[in-house]
């Protein structure tokens, strides 16, 4: 039988069996076409548009249109197949909804019709199931009326929930009107279905409602869904109200501000942003004395600012330039305190010792006081780490009453840091000097350039060369910053530079600076610094009262001798900080206790001493030399010995630099050729293989000042006689036996005193350097000044 014949027979069967359940004004067919839907189940109480694909449901709708009842069954499918022509009929749920089709139309490959829900429907058997159109034989589950009080109570609960939902979401009111027009509100079955249709519950839950025929059970399922919907709608309304309130407030604020701006402009009370910027920049220039070139340039930029739009990038660049140019304190000078007594008081307050440095600074103040102003100078403080170079810079500023600005140039590799970037790119800034003047707000501050010996250099430029103009009193009257492109007068600035060593500072830069040397401290100075400055500072830092924690002088001396023997006092400060921290632990354990630290307690707090009292090396071929390092002065023992007499030879060890090796060669040559003169066997070196060693082999050593010491060690070996004890020496030796001058006399004298050596041999040319030393350093010293090596030999090997 063909499909067409099959359908014709079905129509006949339908006409015959039209005697099933009859609702008012309509009869329900026993065979209907089926279309599956995917979003959510369709309920009998609904009247809604339904959209399906034209392919493959067009033929189904055409056949429905030809039936008298114009009805079809809609069944919900949770997971529809990609191709609806190949779906499993068993995947359809038990119940669907019979709907009457109204106003079918097609558009853009879709079919749309209004579906009017009529009744629950159940498939009794399939008539056509292989491909659309699907045809089934159906029956209609009967919902028995249940007039019980429980059903009435549920009905009232549903109606109340619907009433609550209506004000929260006005969209539901239209659906309710449609429902009330078509159904009796007292009929619980349509009411329950309508309530379920109002919710946004998942499709599976709604299908469960559709499958539940008994009215009471169905009501029990629908009421929680409806209550949940009411809560969700209420929450959404609250959130929406809050969002609207915030937006409303901001809009109101915005409108009010805009209105206020316009009213103020109309009344002349305020100006727009551009006028406000211009007025601010002009106000900054009041009271400042600008050079003509700077005034002209700033006026040009202000005129340019008034033409530009505030939103343009050029406006931002011009505004930034004017911000910097008007922040420079043109012609504004601070008043100096030219009072020598005040200056000395400040220097003594913060620094113990360093009398020669203080005198030099006071001379500098005196000249300024005599003249009435202190013109810019460039001072370079050189000394080992921890001797107080940076703090002296601060003290100079305080004694003058000038603002102080410090920046470290250590490791700086970009010359734009000094002279500024050019304005050709985004993010350009003026150099550090302009930034300093902006911060201090006067043209005569004290500016400290820290660590000037550690300037770097790279492809971005050479900052040391950029500093030449800055630190030259003849040139810095017209210092040019690349960003401002204006001439600045830095001649009133007092520059204070600091360095650990002069070796790495370029010659032309060093030539522009006045060098003041800060040497290390001797034990007595360190003791005074610890008592007056370091210990009170550590107590204050830890918040410990003086009455609860104290240290005696013997303990401080023991810390200086055993734990902090460096030239400066930074290590000493660290050790005192450690003592305070350890003591605070004890004070916390016993709140009533007081801690007194003596010399015997130090090992408990600080561990074993780092430095021991050095036994000065003595014997044949052993001499104590004096050396200078960037960390201060040091003693340098030198040893010489004969290994064998098989052949002539000379060996050097101790990680010596090129200059020191040359000094050793000169000493060996000089002593070899003058042995007879100095009482040695002239043939000694002809058969001897000699080894010369400088201890502390891990430390690199270089310099010419060990020449005399090496020659003395070789002479002692050749004479087979130990030199005089307790003598240290320094000096450069030539091949003709002359003793040449050396540097670092002060540091070397301090190193000798630290090692309890009180007899020194220095070059005659350094007599002046020694005489200039403070009396407390020279006190108790026996110093021999030598022009030639013969004078050294007389001291070491007296006849």
């Amino acid at each position: 039988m063909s499909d067409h014949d099959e359908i014709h027979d079905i129509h006949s069967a339908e006409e015959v069996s039209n005697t099933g359940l009859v609702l008012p004004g309509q009869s329900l067919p026993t065979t209907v076409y089926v279309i599956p839907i995917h979003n959510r189940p369709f309920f009998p109480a609904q009247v809604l548009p339904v959209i399906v694909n034209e392919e493959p449901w067009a033929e189904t709708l055409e056949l429905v249109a030809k039936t008298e009842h114009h009805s079809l069954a809609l069944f919900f499918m949770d997971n529809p197949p990609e191709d609806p022509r190949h779906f499993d009929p068993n995947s359809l749920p038990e119940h669907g909804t019979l709907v009457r089709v109204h106003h079918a139309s097609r558009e853009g490959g879709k079919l749309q019709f209004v579906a009017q829900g009529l009744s629950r429907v159940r498939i009794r058997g399939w008539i056509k199931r292989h491909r659309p159109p699907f045809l089934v034989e159906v029956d209609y589950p009967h919902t028995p009326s249940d007039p019980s009080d429980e059903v009435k109570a549920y009905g009232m609960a549903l109606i109340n929930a619907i009433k609550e939902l209506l004000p929260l979401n006005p969209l539901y009111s239209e659906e309710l009107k449609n429902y009330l027009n078509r159904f009796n509100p007292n009929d619980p079955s349509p009411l329950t279905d309508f309530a379920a249709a109002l919710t946004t519950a998942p499709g599976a839950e709604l299908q469960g409602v559709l499958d539940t025929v008994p009215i009471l059970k169905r009501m029990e399922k629908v009421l929680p869904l409806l209550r949940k919907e009411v809560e969700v709608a209420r929450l959404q309304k609250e959130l929406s109200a809050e969002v609207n309130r915030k937006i409303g407030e901001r809009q109101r604020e915005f409108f009010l501000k805009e209105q206020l701006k316009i009213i103020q402009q109309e009344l002349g009370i305020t100006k727009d942003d551009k006028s406000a910027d211009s007025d601010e920049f002009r106000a900054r220039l009041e009271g400042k004395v600008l050079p003509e070139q700077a005034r002209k340039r700033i006026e040009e930029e202000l005129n340019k600012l008034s033409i530009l739009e505030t939103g343009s990038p050029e406006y931002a660049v011009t505004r930034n330039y004017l911000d910097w140019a008007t922040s420079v304190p043109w012609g504004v000078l601070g008043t100096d305190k030219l009072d020598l007594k005040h200056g000395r008081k400040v220097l003594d307050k913060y620094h113990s010792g360093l009398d020669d440095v203080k005198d030099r600074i006071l001379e500098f103040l005196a000249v300024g006081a005599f003249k009435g102003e202190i013109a810019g100078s460039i001072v370079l403080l050189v000394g080992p780490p921890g001797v107080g170079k940076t703090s002296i810079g601060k003290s100079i500023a305080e004694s003058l009453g000038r603002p102080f600005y410090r920046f470290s140039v250590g490791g700086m590799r970009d010359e734009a840091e000094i002279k500024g970037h050019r304005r050709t790119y985004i993010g350009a800034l003026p150099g550090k000097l302009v930034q300093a003047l902006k911060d201090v707000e006067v043209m005569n501050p004290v500016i400290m350039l820290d660590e000037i010996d550690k300037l770097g250099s790279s492809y971005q430029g050479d900052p040391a060369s950029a500093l030449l103009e800055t630190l030259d009193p003849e040139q810095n009257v017209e210092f040019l910053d690349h960003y401002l492109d204006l001439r600045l007068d830095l001649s009133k600035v007092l520059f204070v530079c600091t360095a650990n060593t002069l070796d790495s500072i370029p010659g032309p830069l060093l030539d522009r600076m006045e060098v003041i040397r800060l040497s290390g401290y001797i034990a007595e100075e360190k003791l005074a610094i610890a008592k007056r400055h370091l210990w009170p500072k550590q107590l204050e830092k830890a918040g410990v009262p003086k009455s609860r924690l104290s240290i005696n002088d013997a303990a401080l001396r023991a810390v200086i001798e055993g734990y902090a023997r460096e030239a400066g006092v930074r290590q000493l400060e660290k050790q005192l900080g450690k003592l305070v921290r350890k003591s605070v632990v004890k004070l916390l354990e016993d709140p009533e206790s007081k801690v007194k630290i003596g010399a015997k307690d130090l090992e408990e707090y600080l561990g074993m001493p780092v430095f021991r009292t050095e036994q000065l090396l003595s014997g044949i071929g052993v001499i104590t030399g004096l050396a200078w390092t960037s960390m201060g002065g040091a003693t340098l023992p030198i040893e010489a010995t004969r290994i064998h007499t098989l052949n002539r030879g000379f060996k050097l060890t101790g990680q010596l630099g090129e200059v020191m090796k040359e000094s050793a060669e000169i000493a060996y040559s000089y002593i070899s050729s003058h042995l007879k003169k100095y009482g040695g066997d002239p043939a000694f070196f002809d058969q001897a293989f000699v080894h010369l060693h400088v201890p502390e082999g891990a430390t690199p050593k270089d310099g010419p000042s060990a020449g005399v010491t090496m020659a003395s060690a070789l002479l002692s070996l050749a004479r087979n006689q130990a030199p005089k004890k307790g003598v240290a020496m320094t000096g450069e030796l030539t091949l003709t036996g002359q003793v040449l001058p050396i540097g670092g006399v002060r540091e070397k004298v301090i190193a000798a005193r630290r090692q309890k050596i009180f007899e020194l041999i220095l070059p005659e040319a350094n007599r002046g350097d020694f005489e200039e030393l403070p009396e407390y350093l020279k006190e108790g010293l026996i110093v021999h000044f030598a022009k030639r090596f013969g004078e050294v030999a007389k001291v070491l090997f007296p006849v």
Side-chain angles (χ1 to χ4, degrees):
M1 184 190 292
S2 69
D3 282 349
H4 182 74
D5 294 336
E6 186 182 332
I7 291 165
H8 176 74
D9 289 348
I10 290 160
H11 282 180
S12 306
E14 188 184 319
E15 289 164 16
V16 173
S17 60
N18 225 354
T19 58
L21 286 167
V22 178
L23 291 180
Q26 66 185 47
S27 60
L28 299 176
T30 55
T31 56
V32 288
Y33 293 99
V34 172
I35 292 181
I37 54 174
H38 315 312
N39 296 336
R40 49 189 277 140
F42 200 95
F43 281 91
Q46 285 183 291
V47 179
L48 281 177
V50 175
I51 300 173
V52 294
N53 290 328
E54 189 175 345
E55 176 60 37
W57 305 114
E59 189 181 350
T60 304
L61 283 177
E62 285 170 10
L63 291 170
V64 168
K66 291 175 185 175
T67 62
E68 289 180 11
H69 49 76
H70 299 304
S71 301
L72 58 82
L74 296 177
F75 280 86
F76 171 68
M77 286 187 76
D78 207 359
N79 296 307
E82 287 185 17
D83 188 349
R85 289 171 294 193
H86 305 102
F87 83 105
D88 181 9
N90 298 323
S91 63
L92 289 184
E94 184 184 358
H95 291 89
T97 302
L98 183 74
V99 299
R100 178 161 288 159
V101 177
H102 301 278
H103 309 299
S105 63
R106 69 176 69 193
E107 187 177 340
K110 299 284 182 185
L111 293 169
Q112 186 170 331
F113 59 90
V114 176
Q116 176 191 358
L118 299 176
S119 170
R120 275 176 177 70
V121 65
R122 190 164 48 204
I123 297 173
R124 199 167 60 200
W126 285 80
I127 298 169
K128 183 172 181 296
R129 62 189 293 170
H130 300 299
R131 64 178 182 276
F134 301 118
L135 189 65
V136 294
E137 194 174 353
V138 296
D139 60 16
Y140 302 95
H142 174 60
T143 308
S145 60
D146 186 351
S148 67
D149 292 340
E150 201 173 351
V151 169
K152 285 179 183 175
Y154 267 107
M156 290 299 293
L158 288 173
I159 288 170
N160 287 336
I162 291 168
K163 281 181 182 175
E164 282 184 53
L165 198 56
L166 284 178
L168 299 174
N169 194 336
L171 286 172
Y172 295 136
S173 61
E174 290 302 317
E175 292 194 37
L176 185 62
K177 282 176 190 171
N178 291 334
Y179 163 71
L180 292 174
N181 289 338
R182 291 169 22 252
F183 295 106
N184 177 4
N186 296 322
D187 185 356
S189 182
L191 176 67
T192 310
D193 287 344
F194 171 71
L198 283 182
T199 68
T200 55
E205 285 188 36
L206 292 176
Q207 182 61 46
V209 173
L210 195 62
D211 286 339
T212 307
V213 178
I215 188 64
L216 188 57
K217 283 188 180 176
R218 204 188 320 159
M219 285 178 153
E220 286 172 357
K221 282 190 176 181
V222 171
L223 188 59
L225 295 180
L226 195 58
R227 292 305 316 170
K228 185 178 175 186
E229 195 69 24
V230 171
E231 291 305 317
V232 169
R234 183 174 288 125
L235 186 61
Q236 280 181 336
K237 187 169 185 182
E238 285 174 8
L239 290 173
S240 179
E242 182 66 18
V243 169
N244 289 337
R245 185 182 64 76
K246 283 184 179 173
I247 290 171
E249 280 177 8
R250 283 181 189 163
Q251 282 181 327
R252 182 169 174 273
E253 197 176 311
F254 172 73
F255 287 134
L256 286 172
K257 277 183 179 173
E258 289 301 310
Q259 285 175 339
L260 185 64
K261 265 188 195 174
I262 292 162
I263 292 165
Q264 285 177 332
Q265 283 174 16
E266 289 292 325
L267 294 173
I269 298 171
T270 188
K271 307 165 187 73
D272 60 4
D273 293 343
K274 197 189 295 184
S275 307
D277 283 344
S278 295
D279 288 356
E280 185 190 345
F281 296 143
R282 288 183 196 281
R284 281 188 197 172
L285 296 176
E286 287 176 15
K288 293 179 181 177
V289 183
L290 275 77
E292 189 54 39
Q293 177 211 6
R295 184 173 290 282
K296 187 179 174 185
R297 179 68 181 279
I298 289 172
E299 277 299 329
E300 286 172 4
E301 293 290 332
L302 282 166
N303 292 335
K304 183 177 168 185
L305 192 78
S306 63
I307 298 164
L308 292 167
E309 283 299 320
T310 51
S312 72
E314 185 67 16
Y315 181 87
V317 170
T318 306
R319 190 193 178 287
N320 202 35
Y321 175 82
L322 283 166
D323 186 28
W324 279 106
T326 55
S327 295
V328 173
W330 301 100
V332 179
L333 297 173
T335 309
D336 289 334
K337 287 182 189 170
L338 300 173
D339 181 352
L340 291 187
K341 285 182 182 175
H342 171 72
R344 184 172 286 283
K345 190 176 174 184
V346 169
L347 290 170
D348 286 339
K349 179 182 174 184
Y350 293 111
H351 305 279
S352 296
L354 303 175
D355 290 335
D356 49 344
V357 177
K358 288 181 192 171
D359 289 344
R360 176 66 197 83
I361 291 165
L362 288 169
E363 288 164 17
F364 174 74
L365 292 177
V367 171
F370 194 80
K371 188 181 175 186
E373 68 158 359
I374 290 185
S377 295
I378 293 94
V379 175
L380 173 63
L381 302 171
V382 186
V387 293
K389 299 183 293 297
T390 305
S391 54
I392 278 184
K394 287 180 185 172
S395 300
I396 292 172
E398 189 174 328
S399 61
L400 282 171
R402 288 190 181 190
F404 178 74
Y405 187 93
R406 172 193 165 275
F407 67 95
S408 174
V409 295
M412 188 184 284
R413 297 190 301 173
D414 186 356
E415 58 102 12
E417 294 270 334
I418 305 292
K419 302 199 76 175
H421 306 90
R422 300 192 187 279
R423 282 175 66 196
T424 49
Y425 56 89
I426 299 294
L429 280 173
K432 281 281 187 201
L433 294 161
V434 173
Q435 293 177 37
L437 293 176
K438 179 186 175 182
D439 280 8
V440 297
E441 298 178 352
V442 291
M443 291 299 280
N444 60 340
V446 175
I447 294 180
M448 172 167 275
L449 309 176
D450 234 344
E451 313 291 356
I452 202 165
D453 56 329
K454 296 175 185 67
L455 273 170
S457 116
S458 73
Y459 65 91
Q460 289 161 311
D462 180 7
S465 301
L467 278 172
L468 293 177
E469 181 191 1
T470 312
L471 301 181
D472 189 333
E474 300 299 321
Q475 293 180 37
N476 66 13
V477 179
E478 292 197 326
F479 172 78
L480 183 69
D481 182 88
H482 289 158
Y483 178 81
L484 292 181
D485 205 20
L486 295 172
R487 299 282 174 184
L488 289 162
D489 182 2
L490 299 181
S491 62
K492 301 285 189 287
V493 176
L494 171 52
F495 288 101
V496 181
C497 308
T498 71
N500 296 132
T501 172
L502 300 178
D503 302 347
S504 53
I505 301 176
L509 186 57
L510 189 59
D511 184 50
R512 285 163 164 77
M513 299 186 281
E514 189 174 344
V515 178
I516 299 179
R517 289 187 176 274
L518 284 81
S519 306
Y521 299 107
I522 57 171
E524 287 75 12
E525 289 176 315
K526 279 191 176 182
L527 181 64
I529 291 167
K531 283 172 73 174
R532 288 177 55 185
H533 302 292
L534 304 181
W535 183 252
K537 181 180 170 185
Q538 290 299 329
L539 288 179
E540 186 184 346
K541 197 173 170 183
V544 181
K546 291 179 185 176
S547 57
R548 294 198 61 193
L549 179 57
S550 59
I551 186 169
N552 60 28
D553 287 6
L556 284 174
R557 271 202 186 85
V559 173
I560 292 162
E561 293 293 334
Y563 300 88
R565 215 179 268 183
E566 86 287 6
V569 291
R570 195 169 285 137
Q571 192 63 32
L572 175 58
E573 187 174 4
K574 285 180 187 173
Q575 297 298 337
L576 294 180
K578 195 172 179 182
L579 283 175
V580 170
R581 290 196 304 275
K582 299 262 186 192
S583 304
V584 167
V585 174
K586 290 191 173 183
L587 291 173
L588 282 175
E589 287 170 356
D590 183 1
E592 300 300 318
S593 64
K594 292 183 180 179
V595 175
K596 292 183 178 178
I597 301 172
K600 293 177 183 176
D601 306 319
L602 291 181
E603 285 191 16
E604 180 192 342
Y605 287 100
L606 302 178
M608 296 299 288
V610 180
F611 302 99
R612 298 284 179 183
T613 306
E614 286 184 24
Q615 293 297 319
L616 284 174
L617 299 175
S618 60
I620 296 169
V622 179
I623 301 283
T624 302
L626 296 171
W628 178 90
T629 69
S630 63
M631 299 294 284
T635 51
L636 198 69
I638 290 177
E639 306 167 328
T641 185
R642 183 172 66 177
I643 301 172
H644 55 72
T645 55
L646 300 176
N647 60 327
R648 181 187 179 95
F650 184 54
K651 183 180 181 181
L652 284 170
T653 54
Q655 204 170 340
L656 311 180
E658 290 299 319
V659 176
M660 208 159 180
K661 285 178 183 173
E662 287 176 4
S663 294
E665 297 286 348
I666 290 166
Y668 181 73
S669 300
Y670 177 76
I671 295 298
S672 298
S673 58
H674 294 82
L675 260 179
K676 188 174 181 182
K677 178 181 175 182
Y678 295 121
D681 178 5
F684 177 82
F685 287 109
D686 293 344
Q687 294 96 25
F689 190 94
V690 177
H691 184 171
L692 188 105
H693 175 64
V694 185
E696 291 192 44
T699 311
K701 295 169 279 289
D702 201 7
S705 62
V708 169
T709 320
M710 289 171 163
S712 301
L714 292 169
L715 180 59
S716 168
L717 183 68
R719 285 175 61 118
N720 198 27
Q721 180 185 352
K724 184 180 180 182
K725 282 190 177 180
V727 178
M729 65 187 72
T730 181
E732 182 179 351
L733 183 68
T734 69
L735 272 175
T736 55
Q738 294 197 54
V739 179
L740 299 184
I742 43 80
V745 170
R746 178 176 178 140
E747 286 86 348
K748 290 174 179 179
V749 169
I750 289 171
R753 289 193 77 101
R754 204 181 289 135
Q755 293 296 333
K756 308 283 193 296
I757 298 173
F758 297 102
E759 189 169 354
L760 306 179
I761 300 173
L762 301 176
E764 176 64 40
N766 287 112
R767 187 186 286 269
D769 297 325
F770 180 78
E771 294 300 333
E772 284 181 4
L773 293 179
E775 285 303 319
Y776 67 84
L777 282 182
K778 294 188 286 185
E779 188 184 339
L781 290 181
I782 300 167
V783 181
H784 307 278
F785 293 100
K787 276 188 181 178
R788 301 189 62 82
F789 184 75
E791 295 166 43
V792 177
K794 280 179 186 174
V795 175
L796 290 177
F797 308 106
V799 176

